[in-house]
Amino acid sequence: MRSQSWQVQVRAGGIGSGFLVTNRHVMTCAHVVDGAERAEVRFAQYPDLGPLEATVIVGGDWTGADQARGDVAVLELDQPVDIPPARFAAVDAPYEHPTVKLTAYGFPRNYDEGILGEFRSTSDQLIAGEWLQLEAWTGHSRPLEAGFSGAAVVREDTDEVVGMVTAKHSAGGGGRMLPSRSLVRHWAGAAGLVPVPGHRPEVVEKLRDLVQSCADVCVPETVYRSVLERFAPLPPPPPAGGFLSLWDVAWFLLTEVRTVPGAAPCADFATYLAELAPDPATRRNLFTWAGNHRAGTATLGPWTHPVRDGRTKWSPVLVEIERSGVGHDAYLVSVYAILDRRTQLVASKTLARRHVPEYVRGRLDLAFRQIDRSGEELIAFALPRDWLDEPVDEWHTSDDDPTPLGCSAPVVVMDLGRRRQSRLQFKLEKVWQNLDRRSDTAWHRVGCDRPQNPAKLTVKLRGLDRAVGYGAPPDTDQARGLLLAGLNAAVPVMVWPRSGCSGQHKEDTTAEHACAGTRFLDALEEHLASFPAADLPRHVHELRREAFMAEESEPHWAAGLALVWEDPRWFPEADIYPQSPIS
């Protein structure tokens, strides 16, 4: 074993060991300082340095017994030292027997200069969610005894710290250690010191600082359930004894929750906190952290965008609105950015219906930071069925821009229920394979001049590979039934006017005497039949701009035009966090 200059003896209420983790901070056991506010530190390899004074900044109020959790203390030296600190192994580094020999440097009675012990870990299974068991390396090895408490447990082959000795057994020469992942739970200051695979230290430290600035905004268990339950029916259970703090939740997500490529539970956690953060700067930084963290996740593998013959390549933003179950007027609103087959959560919150437009306006910019700049923007709303006629394209673009959203970007709606049905998604993809072969769009007209049977319309529309135009809005039971027929038939494109005709239909059906619904369908075919279905959102966007700018005495025919447009290839489902065993 090479000389480790960071080993120290700690004197306060008792005598124990410790180790330097920064140029000014020493870790030891809380029972070593025994409630003291000040402690004396001596470096074992530098006897001439003399005793150094330190303040107990963590663990000074710990009064537990040997078996109590959180036996961690941190000392802050009055002056920094020019001694290299200990180096931690990665949080998932293996160290169980028989692979690795572990050492610890303690200060038993009559050994002021310290003595070395050799140990092994019998398993990486945590005891009571906190400790690992240590045993003497051989029957002749130095046993753990008083004076080893607070000693760093070190891999002999790498000189990396994997934990800290906290207690000895009454017989057998073994004891217990807190692994490094447990140390970070109790002292967030070590967040950047213990390497976490896939995460740079400065990224972990930034998250820690932001989380600690939101320490009292919510209950740790609540945020954990809210982040994971939407993605996994049985998320990994919290650690034994529950979460200690919001930081503990973040650390658990970083180190214990295994994700599929492209998923980022910590980013969703940061987003959740951002919605609750009272400080605007903290809120903004949390959203930025979440966006940057998602940007670094891996993709799900090769995927070809459904783009051919120079047609539009979309860069979608998805807004999902669904009933939350909390109350009659409560809706869960989730905003996603879609990039390289990843549907990445940007923001999510439960709101009353009247607050939904304002919330969406404030989160769209966050989503646009993450989408592909080489594509054309597309905003899609996945809505409950009774919201499909909601004029989302007429919502204000932003708090500072009252322009209708549909005039600022292509806006489409989708039925949230259909999006959740794999059978219909499969059929939709099949329909699009046929539509992609066409350079135009064929329209099936559902007029407003005669009643139709919704079930028979469903059968009729299946396999037609056409868009459907409705002459009347879904504001009656009959009209809603016909719209449902189109959804059930996996029709990918449906259009209707939000204002219908008077219901008076004359026998004379010439253009001059045609009802408003018929005139709408005529105009629909005249203006949109020559374009491929894949490009219709862009052309409807142009029509909405034209209708908004029109100054005629009569409303433009496209004013209030509603567009359902759903191509599942552009809107993959959000990634799922699989359950993993908790060590």
Side-chain angles (χ1 to χ4, degrees), residues 346-505:
V346 173
S348 182
K349 192 172 185 179
T350 299
L351 303 156
R353 180 165 184 163
R354 67 183 183 278
H355 296 309
V356 172
E358 179 184 4
Y359 179 81
V360 171
R361 285 196 296 271
R363 302 304 180 267
L364 285 178
D365 270 352
L366 297 170
F368 274 99
R369 294 178 187 175
Q370 301 178 40
I371 62 175
D372 185 359
R373 292 293 191 272
S374 67
E376 191 168 330
E377 61 186 322
L378 174 67
I379 303 173
F381 286 80
L383 304 172
R385 194 151 290 170
D386 59 344
W387 277 58
L388 286 178
D389 201 35
E390 171 72 23
V392 294
D393 55 285
E394 297 177 10
W395 291 359
H396 289 179
T397 296
S398 71
D399 291 336
D400 300 322
D401 183 0
T403 305
L405 186 61
C407 293
S408 300
V411 174
V412 302
V413 299
M414 300 185 293
D415 174 45
L416 183 63
R418 184 167 76 169
R419 176 166 162 75
R420 301 282 171 80
Q421 296 185 49
S422 298
R423 176 180 61 86
L424 291 177
Q425 295 295 295
F426 174 83
K427 291 181 178 294
L428 280 168
E429 291 195 26
K430 292 293 186 182
V431 172
W432 275 106
Q433 291 175 12
N434 295 329
L435 293 179
D436 283 344
R437 301 187 184 101
R438 299 180 59 106
S439 60
D440 59 357
T441 300
W443 289 87
H444 179 85
R445 299 166 63 112
V446 179
C448 55
D449 55 346
R450 64 179 63 88
Q452 298 189 51
N453 184 301
K456 290 184 177 180
L457 180 61
T458 299
V459 175
K460 184 176 183 179
L461 293 176
R462 283 178 180 152
L464 283 184
D465 298 336
R466 292 188 171 204
V468 173
Y470 293 90
D475 56 3
T476 66
D477 289 343
Q478 165 70 8
R480 283 189 287 271
L482 298 179
L483 177 60
L484 179 60
L487 295 172
N488 289 337
V491 175
V493 181
M494 292 179 283
V495 177
W496 64 87
R498 292 200 183 94
S499 58
C501 67
S502 63
Q504 301 297 320
H505 300 99

Side-chain angles (χ1 to χ4, degrees), residues 29-323:
C29 286
H31 76 260
V32 170
V33 298
D34 195 23
E37 296 181 356
R38 300 280 290 175
E40 183 183 277
V41 173
R42 296 173 183 263
F43 283 85
Q45 306 299 326
Y46 296 94
D48 295 340
L49 195 58
L52 301 177
E53 295 297 318
T55 301
V56 179
I57 61 172
V58 174
D61 56 352
W62 188 86
T63 57
D66 287 346
Q67 306 301 316
R69 292 190 173 109
D71 190 4
V72 178
V74 180
L75 317 180
E76 184 174 81
L77 298 172
D78 290 350
Q79 298 294 330
V81 293
D82 188 20
I83 296 174
R87 181 167 53 92
F88 282 91
V91 71
D92 60 348
Y95 42 80
E96 67 274 13
H97 179 73
T99 307
V100 178
K101 180 188 287 188
L102 304 176
T103 62
Y105 200 93
F107 297 89
R109 183 186 298 274
N110 299 324
Y111 286 92
D112 284 347
E113 72 281 8
I115 194 169
L116 191 67
E118 296 178 334
F119 308 96
R120 63 188 179 190
S121 174
T122 57
S123 170
D124 62 357
Q125 174 66 48
L126 289 180
I127 300 171
E130 179 102 346
W131 301 284
L132 291 178
Q133 184 172 320
L134 290 178
E135 293 180 349
W137 180 252
T138 69
H140 306 289
S141 298
R142 182 89 191 182
L144 276 180
E145 53 189 302
F148 273 91
S149 293
V153 179
V154 182
R155 283 183 55 142
E156 186 185 51
D157 57 341
T158 65
D159 276 357
E160 294 175 323
V161 175
V162 297
M164 181 179 73
V165 176
T166 59
K168 66 180 182 67
H169 292 325
S170 57
R176 288 181 172 179
M177 72 176 240
L178 278 173
S180 58
R181 64 181 184 268
S182 294
L183 295 177
V184 179
R185 291 187 65 201
H186 295 288
W187 183 44
L193 304 178
V194 180
V196 179
H199 305 275
R200 299 191 310 276
E202 62 270 22
V203 172
V204 178
E205 289 175 335
K206 180 66 173 179
L207 178 62
R208 173 202 62 201
D209 294 342
L210 292 171
V211 169
Q212 289 187 318
S213 68
C214 300
D216 300 322
V217 298
C218 61
V219 177
E221 284 74 12
T222 300
V223 62
Y224 178 74
R225 288 195 304 270
S226 298
V227 168
L228 284 191
E229 279 184 350
R230 78 163 61 213
F231 299 104
L234 293 173
F243 290 111
L244 305 173
S245 62
L246 283 178
W247 162 247
D248 195 15
V249 177
W251 183 247
F252 188 81
L253 292 173
L254 283 169
T255 59
E256 300 288 359
V257 176
R258 178 174 58 87
T259 68
V260 296
C266 272
D268 294 341
F269 168 77
T271 297
Y272 185 99
L273 285 190
E275 298 290 357
L276 302 175
D279 176 54
T282 300
R283 185 183 313 119
R284 182 172 59 253
N285 288 332
L286 280 165
F287 277 129
T288 299
W289 191 97
N292 292 340
H293 190 67
R294 287 194 182 96
T297 58
T299 63
L300 293 180
W303 183 60
T304 302
H305 288 291
V307 180
R308 60 187 298 271
D309 300 332
R311 295 175 187 174
T312 306
K313 174 186 175 181
W314 298 111
S315 291
V317 170
L318 174 63
V319 180
E320 284 192 350
I321 301 174
E322 58 184 314
R323 296 190 184 279

